[in-house]
Amino acid sequence: MYRIGELAQRFEIKTDTLRYYEKHGLLSPSGRSDSGYRLYNDEDEVKLRFILRAKAVGFSLAQIQELLVIDASRAKWACQDVKGIVEKKVVELEQKIAELTQFRDSLQQLADACCGGPESAEHCSILEALEVRQ
Amino acid sequence: MYRIGELAQRFEIKTDTLRYYEKHGLLSPSGRSDSGYRLYNDEDEVKLRFILRAKAVGFSLAQIQELLVIDASRAKWACQDVKGIVEKKVVELEQKIAELTQFRDSLQQLADACCGGPESAEHCSILEALEVRQ
DNA sequence: TTTGACCTTTGACCAAACTCCAAGGTTTAT
DNA sequence: ATAAACCTTGGAGTTTGGTCAAAGGTCAAA
């Protein structure tokens, strides 16, 4: 059994983060000491590892919550349920990548069109492009 | 001269957004009516177009603020100043794209390793991967 | 015993970019 | 005149994932 500080330290996160996860229903300690201290067991540790792993590959806490629901009663779910969540996330990421890539390309275009030298910005093609009426 | 509602409608944004931009120093109306209504002129309109254009290519409002400072006194700045801001943003975007791509690749790997069928999630390789101790 | 580290709860704060609400004044068209 | 649309201000709320602060109780080592 770990106290909150021990578990937090073990995973290099803040105690406040663990309290936050508890408050938001992600991970509650399996017990409390007589004085009210949170006590986390091995299963709690496994669950925290799960959460942090999922975060590390880009899942939001809400999405992790979904995965945790499945993980809690694995036999009641199918592999396609899990894979569905992951694939949905992949699509989401791909869309965001596409958007950011578009931003990047637009900006690269602007940058390429600019002389970038010490000339006065009076006639800067980037500034012009941002305010032209068309 | 436009009142706030007219300008907002023209650019398909909320009046509250204009008030927000004013409060945060991005765009103040050039005048006020006797009753206190905001009055925006043609220059204000040009400036708003600039802001929205910059937003559309991914600049944050803080970054747009920087660009506006330059735009306000173009002769005092050089093309390289403007280009510098744009190039910095490009780098930022490239880093974010790289991060998201990594997420995507990790998740795609997980998805590929999963049968994704109706089999019980009891031994789901994705769930296993997320909680394995290693 | 003492002291400092640790723990609790509650509620507020932070970031960024809006958006909403309430109370009340102004304008416009009927 | 009337009613509805429009405007003002100030402050709070939303989202997401934390983080901080205050007040006070508990634990462990010296």
Side-chain angles (χ1 to χ4, degrees):
Chain A
M1 295 292 249
Y2 308 99
R3 285 198 305 203
I4 194 166
E6 295 170 299
L7 190 63
Q9 186 174 55
R10 189 184 191 84
F11 286 92
E12 295 183 330
I13 60 175
K14 296 284 177 69
T15 53
D16 269 334
T17 303
L18 286 171
R19 289 187 196 100
Y20 180 86
Y21 290 167
E22 181 184 1
K23 186 173 180 180
H24 289 79
L26 286 164
L27 170 63
S28 299
S30 56
R32 293 272 184 153
S33 69
D34 288 341
S35 49
Y37 285 18
R38 290 170 177 78
L39 298 174
Y40 296 88
N41 67 13
D42 289 341
E43 271 182 31
D44 297 330
E45 183 189 345
V46 169
K47 198 172 171 185
L48 178 59
R49 187 180 293 115
F50 185 101
I51 290 167
L52 297 178
R53 283 264 171 76
K55 263 179 28 81
V57 292
F59 282 110
S60 66
L61 293 187
Q63 291 163 336
I64 293 169
Q65 183 86 296
E66 278 181 56
L67 288 170
L68 287 172
V69 167
I70 297 179
D71 193 51
S73 330
R74 291 183 176 199
K76 287 192 194 164
W77 300 84
C79 273
Q80 71 200 6
D81 297 317
V82 184
K83 189 164 179 174
I85 294 180
V86 173
E87 285 179 333
K88 190 170 143 206
K89 184 66 189 179
V90 168
V91 170
E92 202 183 288
L93 285 167
E94 283 171 342
Q95 285 171 348
K96 191 66 193 177
I97 290 168
E99 185 189 34
L100 295 183
T101 299
Q102 197 170 38
F103 286 168
R104 186 207 157 278
D105 291 346
S106 299
L107 288 175
Q108 191 59 63
Q109 225 174 2
L110 287 181
D112 290 342
C114 176
C115 68
E119 293 84 344
S120 162
E122 192 115 41
H123 303 292
C124 177
S125 62
I126 294 177
L127 296 177
E128 299 286 348
L130 289 178
E131 71 195 21
V132 72
R133 164 188 225 122
Q134 53 147 127
Chain B
M1 293 294 247
Y2 309 100
R3 287 201 306 208
I4 194 167
E6 294 170 299
L7 191 64
Q9 186 176 54
R10 190 184 190 83
F11 286 92
E12 294 181 334
I13 60 177
K14 297 285 177 68
T15 54
D16 269 332
T17 303
L18 285 172
R19 291 191 193 97
Y20 180 86
Y21 289 167
E22 181 184 0
K23 185 172 180 179
H24 289 78
L26 284 164
L27 170 62
S28 299
S30 56
R32 293 272 185 155
S33 69
D34 289 342
S35 49
Y37 285 18
R38 292 173 174 78
L39 298 174
Y40 296 88
N41 67 13
D42 289 341
E43 271 183 32
D44 297 330
E45 183 188 345
V46 169
K47 198 173 173 185
L48 179 58
R49 189 180 292 115
F50 186 101
I51 290 167
L52 297 179
R53 281 263 172 78
K55 258 174 36 80
V57 291
F59 282 109
S60 65
L61 293 186
Q63 292 165 333
I64 292 170
Q65 184 85 295
E66 280 181 55
L67 288 170
L68 286 173
V69 166
I70 296 180
D71 193 49
S73 330
R74 289 182 175 201
K76 289 190 190 166
W77 301 83
C79 272
Q80 72 201 5
D81 297 318
V82 184
K83 191 165 178 175
I85 294 178
V86 173
E87 285 179 334
K88 188 168 143 205
K89 184 66 189 178
V90 168
V91 169
E92 202 183 288
L93 285 168
E94 282 171 343
Q95 285 170 347
K96 190 66 192 177
I97 289 167
E99 185 189 33
L100 294 183
T101 300
Q102 195 170 39
F103 286 169
R104 186 206 159 277
D105 291 346
S106 298
L107 289 175
Q108 190 60 63
Q109 226 174 1
L110 287 182
D112 290 343
C114 178
C115 67
E119 292 85 348
S120 161
E122 194 114 40
H123 303 294
C124 176
S125 63
I126 293 176
L127 295 178
E128 298 287 346
L130 289 178
E131 70 197 21
V132 71
R133 166 188 220 118
Q134 51 146 124

